[in-house]
């Protein structure tokens, strides 16, 4: 098996997002076509577009059947299947912009035509509006979280919040914990089929599947909140509510899970709180079969750092203290409804919920 190796999925993904941003944000053509002594040749006019030419067929490796994609990624995949520049990875090896085809065109002309086709389709499909609506989803999340917290605090005036970031180890040792990298090509009848990737190996190791597969990340998140009466029941005994969100890291690209457990502050004292932190971390590592990492936001060193900087906002709210509640509320909304490049563009289904909230007791 040729799995996705560490970092290559994210590099390809970032390039596709950047490419589509350039395609949709300006009307410029990638290459200027010139003639010299009756021979056509290309001059790059927009590097933000032309530098992605060689990777266009490889971008198709990111297309997984039955996944839901943001409007810009969906546009690329569907346009490429309808009007491909190349038919296979082998064809894509001939990727110099001045490559001449039997019909007399050069590759740069075909690339210009493909970009023009995507822009035409983007207008027909109202892609700009769909992307705008998608980004405005954060406004809805902000309002939803604020309302949720207000209602919870009305019923429960004493709250202590426990925050943790759940992620996954970078690489795996066994094949079953990785995802095969597949490529696309057309068969003799012009039908697109998936085939094992023949990309050369870098030796970086297979990336953990849950870091690049949103289905697995969501499944692990749901497992964390399932079976609350089992071996970890102490974790949920004084739970009055929770918020969780699956995001895709802007820097490293991996899926990860933010969680916030809201506990009854009158029942959960310091020692109990520390024990609950440990139970939560152990539960995540156990249900991910040892592939889970935990960043404890209440680690004394981290907490002390934030206190020195005046950024600590997770002190208990007792007796409906309005100042502390407002500080906590502002922090939670900012934490879960931020716009820092971590919004998920690939989901299992259109209605898959990256943000979830719950009430206990």
């Amino acid at each position: 098996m040729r799995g996705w190796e560490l970092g290559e999925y994210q590099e390809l993904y970032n390039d596709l997002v950047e490419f589509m941003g350039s395609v949709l944000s300006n009307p410029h053509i990638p290459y200027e076509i010139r003639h010299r002594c009756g021979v056509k040749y290309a001059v790059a006019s927009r590097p933000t577009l032309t530098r992605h030419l060689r990777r266009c067929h490889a971008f198709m490796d990111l297309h997984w059947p039955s996944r839901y994609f943001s409007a810009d990624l969906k546009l690329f995949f569907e346009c490429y299947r309808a009007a491909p520049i190349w038919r296979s990875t082998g064809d894509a090896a001939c990727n110099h912009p001045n490559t001449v085809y039997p019909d007399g065109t050069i590759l740069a002309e075909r690339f210009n035509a493909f970009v023009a086709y995507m822009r035409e389709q983007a207008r027909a499909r109202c892609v700009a509006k769909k992307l705008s609506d998608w980004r405005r989803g954060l406004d809805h999340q902000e309002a939803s979280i604020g309302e949720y917290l207000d209602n919870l605090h009305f019923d429960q005036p004493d709250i202590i919040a426990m925050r943790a970031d759940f992620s996954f180890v970078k690489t795996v040792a066994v094949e079953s914990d990785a995802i095969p990298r597949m490529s696309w090509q057309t068969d003799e009848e012009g039908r697109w089929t998936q085939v094992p990737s023949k990309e050369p190996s870098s030796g970086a190791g297979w990336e953990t599947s849950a870091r690049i597969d949103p289905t697995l990340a969501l499944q692990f998140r749901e497992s964390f909140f399932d079976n609350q009466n089992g071996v970890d029941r102490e974790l949920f005994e004084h739970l009055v509510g929770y918020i969780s969100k699956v995001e895709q890291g802007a820097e490293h690209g991996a899926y990860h899970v933010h969680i916030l457990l809201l506990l009854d502050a009158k029942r959960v004292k310091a020692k109990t709180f520390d024990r609950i932190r440990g139970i939560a971390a152990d539960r995540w590592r156990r249900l991910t079969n040892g592939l889970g990492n935990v960043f404890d936001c209440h680690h004394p060193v981290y907490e002390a750092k934030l206190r020195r900087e005046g950024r600590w906002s997770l002190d208990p709210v007792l007796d409906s203290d309005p100042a502390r509640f407002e500080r906590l509320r502002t922090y939670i909304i900012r934490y879960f409804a931020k716009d820092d490049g971590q919004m998920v563009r690939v989901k299992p289904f259109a209605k898959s919920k990256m943000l979830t909230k719950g009430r206990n007791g």
Side-chain angles (χ1 to χ4, degrees):
M1 183 194 78
R2 202 297 189 184
W4 282 98
E5 296 187 345
L6 182 63
E8 64 179 3
Y9 178 93
Q10 181 61 19
E11 181 182 356
L12 201 59
Y13 172 91
N14 284 347
D15 281 354
L16 177 55
V17 170
E18 180 183 89
F19 175 51
M20 293 308 296
S22 295
V23 168
L24 299 173
S25 65
N26 67 71
H28 304 295
I29 62 171
Y31 287 99
E32 180 185 346
I33 308 302
R34 298 180 182 176
H35 295 78
R36 180 187 297 126
C37 301
V39 177
K40 285 186 288 191
Y41 68 98
V43 176
S45 59
R46 290 291 161 178
T48 54
L49 292 169
T50 58
R51 79 180 192 88
H52 297 294
L53 166 61
R54 291 173 174 84
R55 308 201 79 176
C56 274
H57 197 83
F59 288 153
M60 289 299 296
D61 292 7
L62 300 171
H63 177 59
W64 299 357
S66 76
R67 290 289 189 270
Y68 177 83
F69 299 94
S70 59
D72 51 348
L73 302 193
K74 181 180 180 183
L75 176 71
F76 175 86
F77 296 138
E78 293 185 353
C79 286
Y80 197 87
R81 289 167 71 93
I85 301 174
W86 298 285
R87 297 286 177 177
S88 69
T89 302
D91 293 342
C94 300
N95 55 32
H96 192 281
N98 289 328
T99 300
V100 181
Y101 290 91
D103 62 1
T105 62
I106 61 175
L107 179 57
E109 288 179 295
R110 294 189 171 197
F111 185 58
N112 284 352
F114 177 62
V115 169
Y117 175 61
M118 284 197 292
R119 287 170 176 159
E120 173 191 310
Q121 288 297 308
R123 290 188 292 270
R125 304 178 188 202
C126 302
V127 168
K129 182 181 185 304
K130 291 176 181 177
L131 288 174
S132 178
D133 291 344
W134 171 64
R135 294 187 178 99
R136 278 203 302 270
L138 288 175
D139 296 333
H140 173 73
Q141 290 184 6
E142 180 175 331
S144 174
I145 293 169
E147 181 180 4
Y148 167 82
L149 291 171
D150 290 341
N151 291 336
L152 184 144
H153 186 234
F154 181 82
D155 296 332
Q156 179 65 42
D158 305 300
I159 300 172
I160 183 170
M162 192 209 85
R163 179 199 139 189
D165 296 339
F166 293 159
S167 59
F168 305 93
V169 299
K170 292 182 178 180
T171 58
V172 296
V174 296
E175 185 175 307
S176 59
D177 291 326
I179 296 177
R181 179 169 178 175
M182 305 294 289
S183 298
W184 289 88
Q185 66 181 30
T186 56
D187 60 20
E188 293 180 354
E189 297 180 2
R191 295 173 300 195
W192 284 93
T193 58
Q194 278 189 300
V195 295
S197 173
K198 294 182 179 179
E199 284 287 321
S201 174
S202 67
W206 294 325
E207 187 156 7
T208 304
S209 55
R211 285 171 55 91
I212 57 179
D213 185 349
T215 299
L216 287 175
L218 285 168
Q219 287 174 353
F220 283 132
R221 192 267 303 273
E222 298 310 311
S223 295
F224 182 84
F225 290 102
D226 283 346
N227 189 22
Q228 297 185 6
N229 294 315
V231 65
D232 299 321
R233 57 186 175 276
E234 185 179 1
L235 175 64
F236 305 102
E237 184 177 359
H238 303 304
L239 186 70
V240 296
Y242 65 86
I243 304 174
S244 72
K245 188 175 183 181
V246 174
E247 292 185 342
Q248 188 173 15
E251 179 182 353
H252 50 73
Y255 288 101
H256 56 275
V257 185
H258 300 295
I259 70 159
L260 187 89
L261 304 183
L262 298 163
L263 307 161
D264 184 341
K266 286 291 178 70
R267 294 174 177 266
V268 177
K269 304 304 179 184
K271 288 185 178 181
T272 303
F273 187 78
D274 291 343
R275 190 163 59 250
I276 288 174
R277 286 166 48 208
I279 294 172
D282 290 343
R283 181 178 177 86
W284 179 251
R285 296 187 185 100
R286 187 176 67 250
L287 67 87
T288 58
N289 298 314
L291 297 176
N293 283 332
V294 178
F295 177 74
D296 181 0
C297 304
H298 299 267
H299 189 281
V301 175
Y302 182 71
E303 178 179 335
K305 176 179 178 292
L306 294 190
R307 286 191 184 279
R308 288 194 303 271
E309 297 171 354
R311 296 192 296 128
W312 181 254
S313 303
L314 295 175
D315 285 324
V317 176
L318 299 172
D319 301 321
S320 295
D321 184 320
R324 279 200 176 180
F325 174 69
E326 185 57 34
R327 184 175 177 84
L328 177 63
R329 184 183 189 275
T330 300
Y331 169 79
I332 293 173
I333 290 175
R334 182 176 67 248
Y335 179 61
F336 282 100
K338 59 186 179 298
D339 183 10
D340 59 357
Q342 299 192 65
M343 290 179 66
V344 173
R345 292 175 180 267
V346 185
K347 302 194 295 185
F349 307 102
K351 295 186 178 181
S352 297
K353 292 184 178 180
M354 300 298 107
L355 175 73
T356 59
K357 306 180 293 293
R359 297 283 296 272
N360 282 32

